Amino acid sequence: MNIEKAKITKDNTLIATYKDEKGTTTVEGKNLVTNDLVNAFKALIPHLAFLCELKEADGKELLEDMPENIESIVDVSGYSIGGDGDSRGVTLTGKRFLKSNKVLNLNAPFTKFTDESENYRFQFELEQAIEACDYEVNEYLFNKKWKVVQQELPFEDEQITDVVADQVPEVDIPAPDAEKETFTQMLKVSSSKRRTRKTKTANLAS
């Protein structure tokens, strides 16, 4: 299976075309791409700057010599692979963000990976960067490596029902007067028992 084209959409999903024994297939993904895939595409930005001869690449000797804010100036949104053997190479597509808040679309010239006649001095690094992109695209398409988005709890759309307290079984509680009467009767019985005990004690003593 070979990835032929890949593009990150403005909605951060992926459109890719691959070729296998069954033919050529284009897939439009609905899931968000991961940070790994985004970073793989960002690694192509210095190549786009060199290949399109942008001023940020003027006088630079290494890919790492790009300005620190290069990612806010240039973006790579896709690539297309073509050719075979020594003729195999890639076309990068992207854009440059202008000071006027407008966008300049960029298409780098087709650049071969291993052809010695190719005058791009970062051929090997370009091929390695594309292989890293291919890996992440393959993971997205076939291994469901997607960005996980935390879903919001649906509190806003749900109505909160009234809270009803559990019913407590009724208990017969005597009225204050009845309770007082019961206590008085208990005192009378207790007093009567005490008098009976004293009488018996006096009779025994005599």
Side-chain angles (χ1 to χ4, degrees), residues 57-183:
D58 287 347
K60 303 297 189 299
E61 296 295 329
L62 301 173
L63 295 170
E64 295 78 11
D65 291 339
M66 290 289 113
E68 293 184 359
N69 64 337
I70 188 63
E71 293 179 4
S72 64
I73 301 173
V74 181
D75 180 53
V76 173
S77 56
Y79 62 92
S80 177
I81 300 173
D84 294 312
D86 291 343
S87 298
R88 187 170 180 268
V90 66
T91 299
L92 302 181
T93 60
K95 52 195 171 184
R96 179 186 180 88
F97 303 104
L98 305 178
K99 293 180 180 180
S100 61
N101 292 328
K102 294 182 179 181
V103 174
L104 176 65
N105 292 322
L106 299 173
N107 287 296
F110 178 77
T111 306
K112 299 175 183 178
F113 295 138
T114 58
D115 192 343
E116 294 181 357
S117 63
E118 181 68 66
N119 59 4
Y120 184 53
R121 67 179 182 271
F122 300 117
Q123 287 174 278
F124 176 77
E125 290 83 356
L126 176 59
E127 183 178 21
Q128 293 295 306
I130 291 296
E131 288 181 356
C133 290
D134 282 353
Y135 173 81
E136 293 299 334
V137 171
N138 183 81
E139 289 291 295
Y140 179 97
L141 294 178
F142 303 107
N143 294 324
K144 298 182 180 181
K145 187 178 179 180
W146 306 322
K147 186 173 184 179
V148 178
V149 180
Q150 183 176 2
Q151 297 181 351
E152 296 181 357
L153 296 176
F155 288 154
E156 296 181 358
D157 297 332
E158 292 185 354
Q159 295 181 352
I160 300 177
T161 57
D162 295 334
V163 178
V164 179
D166 294 336
Q167 294 184 352
V168 179
E170 295 184 359
V171 179
D172 293 333
I173 301 176
D177 291 341
E179 184 178 358
K180 181 177 179 181
E181 180 65 23
T182 301
F183 182 70

